[in-house]
Amino acid sequence: MSPTPLGKPVAVRGLRKIYGGVVAALDGIDLDIAPGSFCTLLGASGSGKTTLLKALAGFETADEGAILVDGRDIGQVPVAKRNIGMVFQNYALFPHLTVRRNVAFGLEMRGIGRAEISRRVDAALALVGLDAHGDRLPRELSGGQQQRVALARALVIEPDILLMDEPLGALDKNLRQAIQIQLRDLHRRIAATTVYVTHDQEEALFLSDTIALMDRGRVVQVGSPEDLYFRPANRFVAAFLGECNFVRVPDGEEIGLRPEKTLIGARAEAAEIRLDGILGSAVFTGTGYRVTATVAGRELTALTANDDPVAGLAPGSAVVVGFHPAHAMRFADAARP
Amino acid sequence: MTITDGLRPLPRPSWRRHAGWIGIAPLAVLLVIAFAIPVGSLLRLSFGEGDFTLEHFARIVTVPLYRSVLLTTLTISATTTLLCVVMSYPVAYLMATVGPRMRALLIVVVLLPFWTSSLVRTTAWIVILQGNGILNRLLMGVGLTSEPVAFVYNLSGVLIGMTHVLMPFVVLPLYAALRGLDLSTVQAAEGLGAGPTTVFFRIVVPLTAPGAVAGATIVFMNALGFYITPALMGGPAQTMISQMIADNVGRQLDWSFAAALSTVLLGATLVLFVLFQRVFGLDRLFSGGGGGSKSGEPFRLTSRGRTAGGLFGAVMGLAVAVFLIAPILVVFPMSLGSSPFLAFPPSDLSLRWYVSFFENSKWVGALTRSLQVAAVTVAGAVVLGTAAAIGLDRIGQHWRRTIETAFVLPMIVPVIILAVGLYYLFAPVGLVASIWGLAIGHTVLAAPYVFITVRAALKGFDPNLELAALGLGAPWHTMARRILVPVILPGILAGSVFAFITSFDDVILALFLTNIRTRTLPKLMYEGVAHEIDPTIIAAAGLIILVTVALLALDLVLTRKRP
């Protein structure tokens, strides 16, 4: 692989895409992706994240707006000329070609000499740890191996952007976590501008430099994982990323509170803000207890240590719930009295 | 069956353990008497009428004329196959990338030639292609040529006629293969920098090759035995093996030599059939199912629209679709003209030639006989085919495959061989002078269709329904009437449609098994077309198209209702 960063900056400007005259798959997207960064498009199905990715790749055209790569509008550039590496959800390996021929395909299209192709294919396969599998057919590999072939095939052409469409969706949980670590390490080494689509918030938090959270064809918030987790722009972001209690504080404002910042029982006594509640259930999770309590008609969740005496109380007992004001998350769209 | 048998409250009567064979027997008997014996005796003849000899085979190889007929047969069949494959790709591509309505229309366009009587098609092509035909007048009208181009009564005529009718065998499996192609595989290639040509040759062709090869095998196998098209649309240089067989029976009266040619043709056909069965499986022959991957989105057009290459493919696809539908689009309006000369488009609309058709006792008699033969055929084929299909599920597993293969053989063996074999068998016993000989022959051809459609319908029949009905105390015949038959009725009806069309359109059996008093409509048309096409023949063709289209529409309605 090339030692210099592969990536180019990407800018999306006012991108709109209407299906069937009514449904806005993309409803005015603006997004800047720094060169070499890992940007995740996170959202539920139907949020427009895959449509945006396909527009970047050139498989779908937008009705309005522009996509700029390194400052250049690529709207009229055909797919084959975009120099984009794409990893598909089902990998889309060519079933009739061996692993080597799959990886070599993009280089052959670029008219690169045979010796050079061979060298770069070797390097790409080594990068993903598949040096020994070059002569196999895709169907002879496991899902995780196929996934890595797809990655090698996308990277070997030294793309301006690497696009990945839920590439881990078809793998089981353990394998997914192992590959997430490999992906992160790989990205740190090659620093290709990467746009990654997923609906899995943990995956997004783990992998990304930047997350663009999408909903109904719009980007709701863009920021680092910490930004989105600790400073969600609105209720939707707070609820989508991690768990969130919505609490009406004494002054009437509604705030968000993460369960790990929600204090209950003895630990709440020292909190600056205290509310009266009724204990629901306490479920043991190993590292602690998941305790629920009802405050002013709303059920809240708190995570406590596994030696917290609150777990010993009978359900239905009166209990104090509290938090520190610094942990309260305030939203632009908070409901006010 | 063993597990469910064990659960039954009462032991089955011993005859019921052989019930499957009772259903299978009638069709088996018919096929032995009217298929295996005639074809077998013909094959026997090829080794000499008395002592065993190979001299007839030696003649095929040594006499240059016969060698060249074999070579012509192979060349025409191979060229037709190639044309079918090349022309099918654009149509299949178009079918895969248009909306559902347009796709349904294209499927009709592809299937219509297949189900249109060979005589109607041939007649229409001759009208379009002949020296003063529609195409030549068009070409001369726009000044592309000053003299008529010879499109027909030569190699191009044969290739046009054969490709036209055999294309569905490639288009349908190819379309299925294209739909089975994963859209993202194509997109991956594009994303890696491949242009339309590279995507087509390096991704699409290798991944759809199994579908194309399956179709091509069927085309080649069928093409080898073609008779009507080369006889009517070719010249002397395009004489194929089937014509040589007919010629030796009809004119030379050299039965042994005709038999030897038949043996060669049958041998080649069966080798291809066995190969096909080994490689693709028998089901593929009738379902047209494609390969490709199961995961991911099927190949389609995205919002980006067609690329330049895609546009080229779509335009070619449309051109081929026009080629497929042209004969029907031309001949039907033409039959509604009033001019005694064949004119297209007709200057006025009238039913004059239909009136003349129905006022002529020769045509009406032939039509009546065609309908009588078809009625007997449908009745026979439905009873025998349905009983055999129901019976097949009730016999041992290891017998099923053998029986299934044996029952579809009449669809595989070239019709000319069956025709000559039946003629050899029926002529001495006087069956040729009645409609019964022909009806028996047609039943042999049609029963396999019913057998297959009912088999397909039975696959949707849960055997537990039968057990439930029997368990509730229904006797077997009541169960069959109230449970089994209603479920498989669409299959039976679809089979009857195919049986009717098979009989109503047949020329080859009719050529051998009828005489001037018992001739059917297609035979009468054949005699006319071979001599000179007059407007009454066009009216007859229009009539056959109407009947065919009506029946196919009926079949479409029946199929749609199927659960």
Side-chain angles (χ1 to χ4, degrees), chain A residues 17 54 58-61 79-80 84 88 90 92 94-96 101 105-106 108-110 153 157, chain B residues 182 184-185 187-194 198 202-203 206-207 295-297 300 302-304:
Chain A
K17 169 90 197 161
K54 292 199 165 162
F59 300 134
E60 304 274 354
T61 42
V79 179
I84 278 171
F88 291 83
N90 61 353
F94 307 129
H96 58 301
R101 296 297 305 277
F105 191 91
E108 289 168 14
M109 295 303 117
R110 282 158 177 75
R153 187 178 67 176
I157 60 170
Chain B
D182 188 347
S184 60
T185 312
Q187 290 182 335
E190 272 188 282
L192 290 167
T198 314
R202 294 199 43 184
I203 306 295
L207 292 180
S295 63
E297 258 183 292
R300 64 176 174 81
T302 64
S303 68
R304 166 172 67 104

